[in-house]
């Protein structure tokens, strides 16, 4: 428990809610003590020596004295291995059945009594004692898994285990879900347990709302993604390696994955970063494409309070000529904070308000929390309690409904790991649609129960369906937000099958991109929180979740005008661009911070809207390829060690490099450039990479550089599609992709491929090899700045 938890506990003690909170915490501790006895004496186990092997399609089983290892190579190149009979399914990370195996991969004997499976992209070598090496086709070791170790309670119960790994000395770690101290994960331990950090967080806080046992490892030897498919509580300890100087020996990097229970199984995908994310997307599901309106500016605040205030805010944007696409309503629009209700006094005609705003180009999005007020007469509670023989809500080991304390008071929690409950819950979204909402955001779904002390979650002994297998909260906790997202997404899809659902969630797990995106949660207001915002988005993108963004301005406190504008500028170049703040943090509209901030915000808002066709393209390409919208600088050149170290700039697609200002009092900043020519999109200045340059960063804007030869779809002066082409250099040329907006339904996307080259001082733009196929206006930029002459 940290200081914030202590303060909250002290404030609650004297209140009625506080007494219920203390009672809820006491019930949780008592339930766990009764249902989860101490582990007692344990027996350690290792695989032992190899005793034989059996080939199977795509791999085979290697048997050891005290365990067995199954290896399978899937079509597409992903490699699976599981100990003690672990299979790829059941798994919440996979969208369905396990992928087909690659019949070309064969298990065969290796030297010294070991075995190996050779596939197109990877060779898996198993030693006689159970170490597993992953090698490139050229024989270079990407990762070495040491023989695992289990600790099994003598009296019975789930075994805990540790898997230790070694990676090259130059390797760098990324991922593990939403981490505030990234994107490069430094030496230390990272917990795997989705947690509300207690109101706000900064870079030093861990864990946060969305953890995943997914790590991206980048080294000179290559890039690989390792996913330990286990939803139990655990931790990952990372230690970067060190290269020997002169004749000294290299010290490899190490990774230790500790799990409190559950299967020991792993998937690995190797290749370039783009190929790795494509393989990960193929394995865990393609990212949901948000409606095009969800790619525009969004505004939220806990505490709008009334229809009048909502109209005031929207009118403020319109009167000042500021674009706004979405407005979010937080829990204060509910009646007594109860989900799927409306406070009729403050919002007497919510459907009418939604229709009025929609005619003005603004959609309404509603918060949805999972905690249901445990009060007879509450429709959600009553229908959930009557669902089937045992009801919809999580129960304890004695069959009694588990109760916690959240905003509505004493609450119960739907068991989203039960398919019947997901279908029932998804049907409840009909009420949200009837109120005029166009989408939802899931909050408090780690899940949270206010506790006077300790971890603010349900008893770990709580019982869950787990798709009919049965189990407890230790296994279900980390996938609770994921299964809630599935319930909401599938419900919205059933209710409005012709529209793409819009949903994003504070908590989730591997594979959540299938149902929507996420946001930072309650990031602390301050410059460290600004830096953490970028780290979270980059790290989540490398775990396969491309649509995310922070609370612009920070959730708590009052940002200075400079901090607010710098955060606003960063947010405008991240996929989910949303201002949001706590009820006591003050207003966050751009005009509240003075005329200078207002003008800076207007400039970046207009640029966001101008780039809307580019955002649409990136969203569709993410679905097709798994590539995140926002990418680290090393994305195309992972062998560039300097770029691996850089965490203060990013690529937006292939074409743009964004260098946000993350410190106060800055009017210029250094930028590390990947190879090639880059143009400052504001000043037209030309820079050559690779290397470091200093660029202007006045308060009015952040540096944005365009790659030479790139083709960027933008919104022209008349509102139509226009191609912005940045002059290529002699020789290699360039290009880009365009996916036109086909609306918010399910029309298939058509990918247009464009190429650019410089011929005799003239920029040639072709689509699929022909100039005549380019059927929209083209604007060439950077031609004079680059020193060439001529025109298209």
């Amino acid at each position: 428990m940290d200081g914030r938890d202590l303060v909250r506990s002290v404030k609650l003690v004297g209140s009625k809610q506080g007494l219920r909170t203390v009672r809820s915490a006491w019930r949780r501790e008592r339930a766990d003590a009764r249902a989860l006895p101490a582990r007692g004496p344990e027996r350690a186990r290792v695989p032992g020596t190899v005793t034989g092997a059996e080939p199977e399609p795509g791999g085979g089983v290697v048997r050891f004295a005290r365990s067995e290892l199954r290896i399978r190579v899937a079509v597409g190149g992903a490699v699976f291995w599981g100990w003690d009979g672990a299979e790829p399914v059941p798994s919440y990370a996979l969208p369905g059945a396990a992928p087909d195996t690659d019949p070309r991969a064969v298990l065969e004997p290796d030297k010294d009594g070991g075995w190996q499976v050779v596939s197109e992209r990877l060779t898996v070598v198993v030693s006689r004692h159970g170490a597993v090496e992953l090698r490139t086709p050229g024989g270079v070791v990407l990762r070495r898994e040491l023989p695992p170790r289990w600790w099994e309670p003598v009296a019975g119960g789930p075994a805990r285990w540790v898997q230790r790994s070694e990676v090259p000395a130059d390797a760098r770690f990324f991922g593990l879900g939403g981490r505030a101290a990234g994107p490069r994960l430094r030496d230390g331990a990272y917990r795997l347990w989705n947690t509300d950090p207690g109101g706000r967080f900064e870079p030093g806080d861990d864990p946060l709302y969305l953890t995943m046992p997914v790590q991206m490892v980048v080294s000179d030897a290559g890039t690989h993604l390792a996913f330990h498919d286990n939803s139990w509580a655990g931790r990952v300890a990372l230690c970067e390696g060190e290269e020997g100087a002169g004749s000294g020996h290299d010290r490899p990097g190490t990774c230790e994955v500790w799990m409190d229970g559950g299967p020991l199984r792993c998937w690995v995908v190797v290749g370039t970063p783009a190929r790795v994310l494509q393989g990960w997307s193929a394995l865990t599901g393609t990212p949901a494409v948000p409606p095009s309106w969800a790619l525009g500016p969004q505004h939220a605040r806990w505490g709008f309070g009334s229809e009048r205030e909502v109209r005031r805010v929207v009118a403020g944007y319109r009167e000042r000529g500021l674009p706004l696409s979405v407005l979010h309503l937080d829990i204060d629009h509910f009646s007594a904070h109860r989900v799927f209700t409306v406070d009729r006094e403050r919002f007497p005609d919510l459907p009418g308000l939604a229709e009025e705003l929609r005619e003005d180009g603004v959609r309404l999005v509603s918060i949805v929390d999972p905690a249901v007020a445990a009060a007879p007469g509450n429709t959600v509670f009553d229908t959930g309690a009557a669902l089937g023989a045992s009801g919809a809500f999580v129960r304890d080991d004695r069959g009694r409904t588990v109760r916690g304390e959240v905003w509505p008071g004493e609450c119960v929690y739907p068991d989203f790991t039960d398919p019947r409950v997901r279908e029932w819950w998804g049907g409840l979204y009909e009420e949200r649609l009837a109120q005029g909402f166009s989408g939802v955001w899931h909050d408090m779904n780690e899940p949270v129960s206010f506790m006077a002390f300790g971890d603010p979650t349900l008893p770990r002994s709580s019982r869950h369906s787990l798709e009919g297998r049965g189990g407890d909260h230790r296994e279900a906790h980390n996938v609770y937000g994921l299964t809630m997202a599935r319930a909401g997404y599938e419900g919205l899809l059933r209710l409005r099958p012709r529209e793409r659902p819009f949903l994003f969630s504070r908590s989730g797990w591997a594979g959540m991109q299938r149902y929507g995106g996420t946001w930072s949660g309650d990031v602390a207001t301050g410059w460290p929180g600004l830096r953490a915002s970028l780290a979270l988005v980059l790290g989540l993108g490398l775990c396969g979740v491309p649509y995310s963004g922070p609370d612009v301005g920070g959730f708590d406190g009052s940002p200075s005008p400079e901090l607010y504008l710098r955060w606003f500028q960063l947010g405008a170049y991240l996929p989910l661009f949303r201002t949001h703040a706590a009820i006591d943090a003050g207003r966050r509209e751009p005009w509240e911070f003075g005329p200078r901030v207002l003008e800076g915000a207007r400039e970046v808002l207009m640029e966001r809207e101008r780039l809307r066709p580019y955002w649409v393209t990136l969203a569709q390409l993410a679905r097709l390829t798994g590539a995140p919208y926002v990418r680290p600088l090393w994305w195309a050149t992972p062998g560039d060690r300097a770029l691996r170290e850089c965490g203060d700039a990013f690529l937006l697609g292939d074409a743009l490099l964004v260098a946000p200002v993350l410190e106060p009092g800055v009017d210029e900043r250094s930028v590390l450039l990947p190879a090639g020519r880059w143009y400052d999109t504001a000043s037209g200045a030309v820079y050559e990479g690779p290397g470091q340059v200093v660029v202007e960063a006045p308060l009015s804007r952040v540096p944005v550089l365009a790659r030479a030869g790139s083709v960027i779809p933008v919104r022209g002066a008349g509102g139509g599609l226009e191609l912005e082409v940045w002059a290529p250099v002699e020789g290699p040329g360039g290009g880009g992709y365009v996916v036109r907006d086909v609306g918010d339904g399910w029309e298939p996307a058509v990918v247009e491929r464009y190429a650019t080259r410089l011929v005799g001082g003239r920029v040639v733009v072709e689509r699929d090899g022909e100039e005549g196929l380019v059927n929209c206006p083209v604007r060439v930029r950077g031609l004079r700045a680059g020193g060439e002459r001529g025109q298209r």
Side-chain angles (χ1 to χ4, degrees):
M1 182 174 70
D2 63 15
R4 293 191 298 274
D5 294 327
L6 180 60
V7 170
R8 183 173 66 180
S9 300
V10 171
K11 288 181 177 179
L12 286 173
V13 165
S15 65
K16 182 178 179 181
Q17 182 186 15
L19 293 175
R20 290 198 304 262
T21 298
V22 172
R23 185 170 67 246
S24 177
W26 177 79
R27 285 199 304 256
R28 184 190 69 175
E29 297 300 324
R30 185 181 179 186
D32 285 348
R34 180 186 66 248
L36 301 177
R39 294 181 63 88
E42 294 179 312
R43 183 184 297 109
R45 173 169 61 91
V46 294
T49 56
V50 69
T51 61
E54 298 177 11
E56 293 180 343
V61 177
V62 182
R63 303 194 186 280
F64 297 85
R66 290 178 291 276
S67 188
E68 66 179 32
L69 173 68
R70 171 168 278 108
I71 303 172
R72 290 180 182 170
V73 179
V75 172
V79 176
F80 169 86
W81 71 82
W83 288 93
D84 286 355
E87 297 277 358
V89 292
S91 169
Y92 280 106
L94 275 58
D100 294 336
T101 57
D102 186 346
R104 299 172 297 174
V106 179
L107 178 68
E108 57 189 26
D110 190 39
K111 59 184 180 180
D112 300 327
W115 294 82
Q116 69 174 8
V117 176
V118 180
S119 68
E120 181 181 3
R121 301 176 188 172
L122 195 66
T123 298
V124 183
V125 180
V126 183
S127 78
R128 61 191 300 266
H129 293 289
V132 179
E133 282 190 355
L134 308 176
R135 300 176 182 174
T136 68
V140 179
V141 177
L142 288 173
R143 188 183 188 95
R144 184 171 188 264
E145 305 278 352
L146 302 179
R149 182 179 293 267
W150 296 265
W151 288 268
E152 299 165 329
V154 173
R160 59 189 180 94
W161 54 262
V162 61
Q163 175 70 74
R164 296 182 171 93
S165 311
E166 295 178 348
V167 296
D170 66 291
R172 296 292 180 260
F173 297 98
F174 302 85
L176 295 182
R179 304 289 169 172
R184 172 186 167 191
L185 300 178
R186 306 282 179 165
D187 294 357
Y190 300 86
R191 287 184 60 201
L192 298 171
W193 187 254
N194 295 345
T195 301
D196 178 356
R200 60 185 176 88
F201 69 87
E202 294 182 338
D205 293 320
D206 185 271
L208 300 178
Y209 313 94
L210 201 166
T211 66
M212 296 186 200
V214 179
Q215 52 185 282
M216 176 86 81
V217 184
V218 185
S219 68
D220 289 353
T223 301
H224 72 272
L225 180 148
F227 166 51
H228 290 85
D229 192 354
N230 184 317
S231 63
W232 282 63
R235 63 183 174 90
V236 179
L238 302 177
C239 182
E240 293 180 348
E242 185 176 350
E243 293 182 293
S247 60
H249 294 289
D250 287 354
R251 177 176 61 81
T254 60
C255 168
E256 295 182 355
V257 178
W258 298 77
M259 287 292 184
D260 291 347
L264 202 175
R265 56 184 180 177
C266 186
W267 286 94
V268 169
V269 185
V270 302
T272 64
R275 177 170 281 185
V276 166
L277 264 295
Q278 186 171 29
W280 177 243
S281 175
L283 180 67
T284 60
T286 57
V289 179
S292 57
W293 51 263
L295 296 170
Q298 307 185 37
H299 188 82
R301 191 174 79 236
W302 178 16
F304 278 131
S306 67
E307 290 187 8
R308 179 179 179 182
E309 177 66 5
V310 169
R311 288 189 173 92
R312 185 196 70 82
V313 170
V314 174
Y317 273 87
R318 293 296 180 251
E319 291 166 3
R320 293 167 177 84
L322 305 177
L324 178 67
S325 294
V326 185
L327 190 136
H328 301 244
L329 295 188
D330 211 317
I331 57 173
D332 49 295
H333 87 278
F334 288 141
S335 175
H337 290 161
R338 294 181 180 182
V339 68
F340 302 119
T341 64
V342 176
D343 186 327
R344 298 297 178 184
E345 291 187 5
R346 292 184 292 171
F347 292 87
D349 183 15
L350 191 52
L353 174 65
E355 181 62 27
E356 173 188 326
L357 296 182
R358 188 162 183 162
E359 291 177 356
D360 198 26
V362 177
R363 308 285 185 124
L364 278 184
V365 166
S366 170
I367 190 173
V368 173
D369 289 356
V372 175
N378 173 12
T379 302
V380 179
F381 175 75
D382 291 343
T383 58
L387 184 69
S390 57
F393 305 117
V394 175
R395 294 178 176 267
D396 65 15
D397 63 305
R398 295 181 175 179
R400 298 176 302 188
T401 303
V402 172
R403 301 197 175 202
E405 187 73 21
V406 199
W407 300 117
E410 192 171 50
C411 292
V412 292
Y413 299 82
D415 180 8
F416 297 113
T417 69
D418 187 331
R420 298 177 307 112
V421 175
R422 289 198 296 268
E423 183 175 4
W424 161 74
W425 185 265
L428 297 176
Y429 287 73
E430 183 175 11
E431 182 274 341
R432 294 287 85 186
L433 298 178
Q435 296 297 338
F437 290 107
S438 298
V440 295
W441 54 293
H442 288 173
D443 202 352
M444 306 290 287
N445 59 337
E446 289 70 37
V448 171
S449 175
F450 295 157
M451 294 292 175
F453 305 100
D455 186 15
T457 186
L458 301 184
R460 299 192 180 207
S461 58
S462 302
R463 303 299 299 173
H464 291 263
S465 167
L466 291 167
E467 314 308 316
R469 293 182 289 112
D472 61 41
H473 198 66
R474 293 174 296 177
E475 181 179 358
H477 174 83
N478 281 335
V479 297
Y480 191 88
L482 172 73
T483 52
M484 181 185 179
R486 177 179 178 181
Y489 181 89
E490 292 178 347
L492 292 170
L493 192 58
R494 288 194 303 271
L495 293 166
R496 291 194 178 169
R498 296 184 180 181
E499 296 181 12
R500 298 198 303 272
F502 177 58
L503 181 152
F504 63 99
S505 171
R506 191 169 80 172
S507 185
W509 202 62
M512 69 169 297
Q513 72 277 357
R514 301 191 295 265
Y515 313 119
T518 183
W519 93 102
S520 67
D522 301 341
V523 60
T525 297
W527 293 95
L530 172 61
R531 186 175 291 270
S533 298
L534 176 56
L536 282 159
V537 174
L538 283 169
L540 286 164
L542 294 176
C543 292
V545 184
Y547 184 82
S548 67
D551 283 347
V552 168
F555 181 71
D556 68 326
S558 300
S560 68
E562 180 189 13
L563 174 60
Y564 175 83
L565 182 54
R566 290 307 194 189
W567 216 317
F568 203 88
Q569 291 165 338
L570 169 63
Y573 291 100
L574 299 179
L576 173 58
F577 177 26
R578 184 182 81 144
T579 59
H580 185 226
I583 194 168
D584 56 354
R587 292 174 174 172
R588 290 291 176 81
E589 293 79 47
W591 55 89
E592 299 289 347
F593 293 86
R596 191 176 183 189
V597 170
L598 176 59
E599 287 308 307
R602 175 181 288 110
E603 182 175 329
V604 76
L605 278 170
M606 301 308 288
E607 180 64 6
R608 171 84 179 205
E609 287 299 279
R610 192 181 75 90
L611 290 173
R612 183 74 75 90
Y614 189 47
W615 286 106
V616 170
T617 296
L618 294 177
Q620 292 288 354
L621 292 179
R623 178 184 65 84
L624 295 171
T625 69
Y629 313 5
V630 170
R631 309 163 188 177
L633 294 186
W634 48 260
W635 177 258
T637 53
D640 189 325
R641 295 190 177 188
L643 295 180
R644 285 185 220 155
E645 312 295 326
C646 181
D648 64 355
F650 60 91
L651 298 174
L652 181 58
D654 289 329
L656 297 177
L657 187 158
V658 183
V661 174
L662 305 176
E663 298 175 350
V666 170
D667 58 10
E668 65 178 18
R669 58 153 294 177
S670 61
V671 179
L672 200 59
L673 295 180
R677 176 173 294 174
W678 297 85
Y679 300 95
D680 188 313
T681 58
S683 69
V686 182
Y687 303 97
E688 300 291 340
Q692 187 165 292
V693 299
V694 176
V695 298
E696 296 178 351
L699 183 61
S700 60
R701 63 179 176 85
V702 294
V704 179
L705 309 179
R707 190 191 301 270
S710 59
V711 177
I712 305 173
V714 298
R715 185 175 288 172
L721 179 68
E722 181 177 292
L723 300 184
E724 184 171 87
V725 176
W726 288 89
V729 296
E730 291 280 3
Y737 299 96
V738 176
V739 181
R740 305 191 186 218
D741 192 347
V742 294
D744 298 330
W746 300 97
E747 289 295 322
V750 177
V751 180
E752 302 175 7
R753 297 170 174 82
Y754 292 87
T756 63
R757 51 196 173 92
L758 197 63
V759 180
R762 174 176 174 264
V763 175
V764 177
V765 182
E766 299 174 328
R767 176 182 169 187
D768 296 329
E770 295 184 32
E771 287 187 70
L773 295 179
V774 181
N775 59 0
C776 58
V778 175
R779 180 189 178 201
V780 176
R781 300 188 63 185
L783 193 58
R784 293 182 179 178
E788 295 89 359
R789 295 183 179 180
Q791 57 186 355
R792 186 181 69 85

